[in-house]
Amino acid sequence: MGVVLNIENGKREAASIKDLIDLTAADMGRVNELILSKAGSDVEMIPEVANHLISSGGKRLRPMLTLAAAQMFGYSGEGHVKLATSVEFMHTATLLHDDVVDESGMRRGKKTARMIWGNQASVLVGDFLLGQAFRMMVDVGSLEALDILSSAASIIAEGEVMQLAAAKNLETTEDEHFAVIKAKTAALFSAAAEVGPVIAQATRNDRAALRSYGMNLGLAFQLIDDVLDYGGSSKELGKNVGDDFREGKVTLPVILAYRRGTKAERTFWKRAIEDNVTDDAGLEKAIGLMTRHGAIADTIGRARHFGEIARDALAPLEATPQKSALIDVIDFCISRVN
């Protein structure tokens, strides 16, 4: 079923992360080599499962943030490459684990690892990648960077458990939802951005600026993902459109539509989310209710709000090509709904 949402009034020039890609291209080449090296193992299934997801065409946005943030403060060394690879391994591990928890069948247009090798293999290979990530962090020799990324790993796991505890709960408040996505998604963006200035020995204020930038960028990114599930493309989203609905996920568009709806509409949401009655007709009705109550538009509005906070966090910093590229990332993340 194809659904087209008119979620932008008028079009601006398409936002792009080309400058970020160009600025980090040489370092990303080394990151990609390190990814292939560290995903290797004498245990045959480990590289098979890991490379299935690693090679499936993700943008590698998080490691690029680490590289650009380190460059921004004049870092010269090898540590940023190892930390960027660690960040990507942490992200990949969470995707492997997420797909098991969510019982997902598709990821980035391909069958999920769990569908091919099973849940056990997906969880264990995710654990292997986390172990490799921590080994690389130790190699860098920065206790501060290790502290930031290991804390993020704990927070991400807490976010997963929070989401599990709140699963299918339509009484979830907006604040409770933000607590989940702050932990589950934004914490890694924040850590990825902060470790760059840390190893570059930048000032405490510079570190705080990048930490705030990453956190608010991550919140904006996740809110737009929540919107795209109800009107994006599978290619852009990295999974099937409507998967959140079919899995009974209570995301912000659902929370707003449910709270603003009539008694009859709330009965529909309970039947869909709590009782898992989620066919294509139900998805179409859900999108109609979200549109009627402004849930999509307001979710985009909140994403823009966090995007502006991320932009303001960088405002006091010296103008550099990296700063400009990081600002472009904000516009890119939000423009995915165009």
Side-chain angles (χ1 to χ4, degrees):
M1 183 183 75
V3 180
V4 177
L5 290 182
N6 181 19
I7 43 190
E8 278 293 335
N9 296 320
K11 292 218 172 182
R12 294 179 296 174
E13 186 180 342
S16 166
I17 54 170
K18 182 180 183 303
D19 287 350
L20 180 71
I21 292 168
D22 290 346
L23 285 166
T24 60
D27 286 339
M28 275 305 296
R30 291 150 71 201
V31 167
N32 289 331
E33 287 173 9
L34 196 55
I35 284 172
L36 291 173
S37 165
K38 296 295 184 181
S41 169
D42 291 337
V43 181
E44 192 176 318
M45 189 183 283
I46 288 175
E48 282 182 8
V49 177
N51 289 326
H52 174 76
L53 186 50
I54 288 167
S55 65
S56 63
K59 293 184 181 68
R60 305 244 161 106
L61 183 56
R62 294 157 189 80
M64 285 194 285
L65 295 182
T66 300
L67 298 174
Q71 290 175 7
M72 193 173 173
F73 297 100
Y75 178 74
S76 58
E78 295 294 317
H80 66 322
V81 171
K82 289 179 179 176
L83 290 178
T85 307
S86 298
V87 164
E88 183 62 13
F89 272 18
M90 288 173 68
H91 177 54
T92 304
T94 61
L95 297 183
L96 285 166
H97 292 162
D98 273 359
D99 287 341
V100 172
V101 172
D102 297 338
E103 301 181 348
S104 297
M106 294 287 286
R107 166 78 63 183
R108 294 173 184 162
K110 293 171 29 176
K111 280 187 177 179
T112 53
R114 64 174 285 273
M115 296 297 287
I116 300 170
W117 291 279
N119 287 338
Q120 296 95 329
S122 290
V123 170
L124 295 172
V125 173
D127 291 345
F128 171 81
L129 293 178
L130 282 175
Q132 292 292 72
F134 283 109
R135 288 176 67 181
M136 284 184 282
M137 292 175 215
V138 171
D139 284 346
V140 172
S142 167
L143 273 176
E144 284 185 288
L146 178 60
D147 180 46
I148 290 162
L149 286 168
S150 60
S151 295
S154 297
I155 291 166
I156 292 164
E158 286 177 340
E160 288 288 352
V161 176
M162 285 163 62
Q163 186 176 56
L164 197 60
K168 297 184 180 291
N169 179 13
L170 284 162
E171 301 305 325
T172 300
T173 66
E174 195 167 335
D175 284 344
E176 287 167 341
H177 180 64
F178 280 129
V180 170
I181 65 174
K182 189 174 183 180
K184 199 171 163 273
T185 302
L188 187 56
F189 274 90
S190 182
E194 187 181 2
V195 291
V198 164
I199 59 166
Q201 298 186 319
T203 68
R204 190 163 293 279
N205 286 343
D206 290 337
R207 284 180 47 177
L210 269 293
R211 180 169 64 244
S212 174
Y213 163 82
M215 180 62 71
N216 287 287
L217 175 68
L219 289 167
F221 182 92
Q222 185 58 55
L223 289 174
I224 295 301
D225 258 14
D226 291 350
V227 166
L228 287 171
D229 196 70
Y230 291 95
S233 68
S234 296
K235 181 181 177 185
E236 182 58 61
L237 194 57
K239 59 184 182 178
N240 291 325
V241 172
D243 272 358
D244 285 355
F245 181 72
R246 293 182 192 96
E247 290 164 12
K249 284 190 179 175
V250 180
T251 58
L252 188 59
V254 174
I255 290 168
L256 296 179
Y258 175 76
R259 289 185 172 274
R260 295 170 181 177
T262 63
K263 186 176 179 182
E265 288 167 357
R266 284 197 287 275
T267 299
F268 159 78
W269 284 112
K270 285 180 177 175
R271 183 168 149 77
I273 301 298
E274 294 175 1
D275 301 337
N276 205 34
V277 182
T278 53
D279 55 14
D280 283 354
L283 176 60
E284 199 155 4
K285 180 169 182 179
I287 292 167
L289 293 176
M290 287 174 179
T291 306
R292 180 185 308 167
H293 293 294
I296 296 281
D298 285 353
T299 300
I300 296 168
R302 283 158 175 71
R304 287 207 176 104
H305 166 73
F306 288 117
E308 290 306 316
I309 298 174
R311 193 187 307 273
D312 286 341
L314 297 182
L317 303 182
E318 183 182 338
T320 64
Q322 289 81 12
K323 175 181 171 179
S324 176
L326 291 177
I327 290 170
D328 287 346
V329 174
I330 303 167
D331 294 329
F332 168 78
C333 286
I334 293 168
S335 73
R336 293 179 301 149
V337 295
N338 283 352

